[in-house]
Amino acid sequence: MAKRAGSRGRTDAEAAGHLDVERTRELFEASTDFTIGLEEEFAIVDPDTLELQHRFDDLYASCLDDELLAESAAGELIDTEIEIRSGKSASFAEAAERQRERRARLFALAEGMGLGLAATGTHPWADYLDQRIIETPHYARLREELRWVAQRNNTWSLHVHVGIRGVDRAVAVCDHLRGLLPTLLALSANSPFLDGRDTGLHSVRTEIFTRTFPRCGVHEPFRTWETYAEFVDLLVRTNSIAESTQLWWSVRPHHAFGTVELRICDAQTRGAESFAIEALIAACVAQSALDYDAGRLPEPMRQREVEENLWRAIRHGMDGKLIDFERSRELPARGAVERQLNWTAPAPGALGLEVTIPEANGAQRDRAALAEGASIAEIYREAVAETRRTYVPEGVSTK
């Protein structure tokens, strides 16, 4: 899909918004099951001082001169951030391979410009008041509409798109995935630090984003496409939204791509762990669709239940417990992840992927280093170095 001149990483389809629900219905009816798209966000930093750098325009301009990155690099609200996208892929293996090449080229460009890239959910001490919104019509509109909320969101995450055929099927999958969001967040938690201190949370990024943006976090179950479409139409008619990308829910049907997009997870410092979490997400989406087809998808979890577990994931991550509401008992977060892995066992065969989970996530490693006496600045410096080492394990070449 070609990019519009001057769009700074937004495609024509995204810019159009796809708020024509009938057009979106047709897109989903023609969608191919289980295609994969990966999106990873990086902070742009000075490799020496570790301060955020307002260099998106410069880095993106260089991306436009690269045949591959011209179609895959994008801006995301603030000018200290850049995103790369794998594009639509037939399998997870293909998406991962495409993303590896994009990672290598982006890191090489950044390093050639004297910049570093960091993959954590937050910057440990950057002042959000220093952030600048990138200059596009889309983000200018958000800046005017959201004001402080847009300014406050200096966070980084990863998103996964999975193709799902059929609108009612896509809505049912999103409804079911709501209950899985806390487990996926706990596994990916990688933002314990903010404002130069330990927040006591494992994912302060989630608290910033999902608790401040409108139409964010977890929506109530829609159950049918008709109910979903009626609500979107109401938002349009009441001048609440101008494009579908203003529906910032943590799982959503994507109007431009005919995919289910899951967007709950923190950015991952280790490249292999980013792929591991993305693979688990893809497996969860696919297994939900397979269960729907077999008539065994359970009733969507109630809103109050999802919210209770979401808070536990934000606060304690993998060190805490989630609630098994079916059995009315607590379950260690790792046990919840393992249960999710067992449930999705049939999906990897359909997707051609292998799902593994790390022994500890980013927040746990950061807290362990802090307990051993490392400073927050030292921990972040290691995170920047580890991002470089693991996202391009063969080494960055600027030649």
Side-chain angles (χ1 to χ4, degrees):
M1 186 178 296
K3 292 191 184 297
R4 181 182 56 177
S7 66
R8 301 201 187 189
R10 295 183 57 77
T11 64
D12 289 337
E14 290 171 288
H18 275 234
L19 282 171
D20 182 336
V21 292
E22 186 55 38
R23 183 182 177 191
T24 302
R25 171 190 284 276
E26 294 170 358
L27 182 67
F28 271 97
E29 295 304 323
S31 185
T32 301
D33 266 352
F34 311 151
T35 56
I36 303 290
L38 309 177
E39 301 176 353
E40 296 173 331
E41 299 173 352
F42 301 94
I44 305 170
V45 301
D46 183 306
D48 296 321
T49 68
L50 305 180
E51 300 290 341
L52 289 175
Q53 298 297 291
H54 301 279
R55 297 288 300 279
F56 167 75
D57 283 340
D58 298 333
L59 185 52
Y60 184 63
S62 294
C63 289
L64 292 180
D65 291 331
D66 181 289
E67 183 179 1
L68 187 64
L69 292 178
E71 293 298 317
S72 58
E76 282 291 331
L77 187 65
I78 55 177
D79 70 353
T80 56
E81 175 177 341
I82 193 162
E83 175 184 272
I84 49 171
R85 304 169 176 180
S86 69
K88 182 179 179 179
S89 305
S91 67
F92 188 87
E94 179 187 340
E97 186 57 36
R98 290 162 63 98
Q99 195 73 339
R100 285 189 189 97
E101 189 173 1
R102 284 153 176 76
R103 288 173 175 182
R105 295 205 187 188
L106 180 65
F107 275 70
L109 278 181
E111 191 151 313
M113 299 171 65
L115 298 171
L117 298 174
T120 56
T122 54
H123 189 285
W125 63 80
D127 188 344
Y128 72 88
L129 295 174
D130 292 335
Q131 292 309 304
R132 305 169 192 166
I133 310 301
I134 60 177
E135 293 296 333
T136 70
H138 167 75
Y139 288 118
R141 180 165 58 248
L142 291 187
R143 179 175 56 214
E144 180 58 30
E145 177 186 345
L146 300 179
R147 305 303 291 268
W148 178 88
V149 170
Q151 181 75 30
R152 183 65 189 86
N153 186 45
N154 54 340
T155 64
W156 294 267
S157 62
L158 63 84
H159 303 161
V160 178
H161 291 261
V162 181
I164 295 294
R165 186 188 67 258
V167 288
D168 281 321
R169 197 160 168 256
V171 167
V173 167
C174 287
D175 282 353
H176 179 66
L177 289 169
R178 295 165 51 260
L180 307 183
L181 294 173
T183 305
L184 292 167
L185 174 60
L187 181 61
S188 74
N190 191 30
S191 54
F193 305 141
L194 191 72
D195 300 329
R197 65 186 65 186
D198 180 358
T199 65
L201 308 181
H202 280 236
S203 179
V204 69
R205 178 200 68 86
T206 307
E207 192 68 15
I208 293 170
F209 183 55
T210 67
R211 306 309 193 190
T212 57
F213 266 58
R215 298 173 297 280
C216 197
V218 186
H219 61 69
E220 292 182 349
F222 284 105
R223 298 185 180 275
T224 67
W225 171 256
E226 181 180 13
T227 303
Y228 174 84
E230 286 176 353
F231 183 65
V232 172
D233 183 61
L234 174 66
L235 293 177
V236 174
R237 287 187 288 105
T238 57
N239 301 307
S240 300
I241 62 174
E243 56 187 358
S244 64
T245 51
Q246 291 173 283
L247 304 171
W248 287 291
W249 295 309
S250 296
V251 60
R252 67 185 184 182
H254 198 289
H255 290 219
F257 302 142
T259 60
V260 166
E261 181 189 13
L262 198 143
R263 35 194 290 115
I264 190 67
C265 296
D266 285 359
Q268 297 299 291
T269 299
R270 295 179 176 177
E273 289 179 6
S274 188
F275 280 149
I277 288 171
E278 290 158 359
L280 179 56
I281 291 170
C284 288
V285 178
Q287 191 62 49
S288 298
L290 294 173
D291 283 3
Y292 175 85
D293 295 342
R296 58 174 180 261
L297 200 64
E299 278 290 299
M301 189 176 284
R302 290 176 290 190
Q303 194 74 5
R304 60 184 178 271
E305 296 170 342
V306 178
E307 287 294 336
E308 184 61 34
N309 272 340
L310 192 65
W311 165 247
R312 286 172 173 242
I314 290 170
R315 174 65 179 86
H316 301 291
M318 289 296 285
D319 286 339
K321 296 180 180 180
L322 300 175
I323 300 174
D324 179 345
F325 285 98
E326 186 178 347
R327 296 173 177 82
S328 300
R329 63 182 178 89
E330 291 183 305
L331 180 68
R334 181 161 291 274
V337 172
E338 290 170 353
R339 177 181 292 183
Q340 215 155 293
L341 282 170
N342 292 334
W343 165 66
T344 60
L351 294 172
L353 54 84
E354 181 179 347
V355 181
T356 59
I357 58 173
E359 289 300 314
N361 63 17
Q364 289 173 308
R365 290 193 295 265
D366 286 351
R367 286 260 163 66
L370 197 66
E372 292 171 0
S375 68
I376 288 176
E378 289 169 337
I379 294 169
Y380 189 60
R381 185 172 297 280
E382 174 56 24
V384 174
E386 192 167 32
T387 300
R388 182 184 184 277
R389 284 195 304 267
T390 62
Y391 273 80
V392 193
E394 66 274 17
V396 174
S397 173
T398 59
K399 295 181 180 178

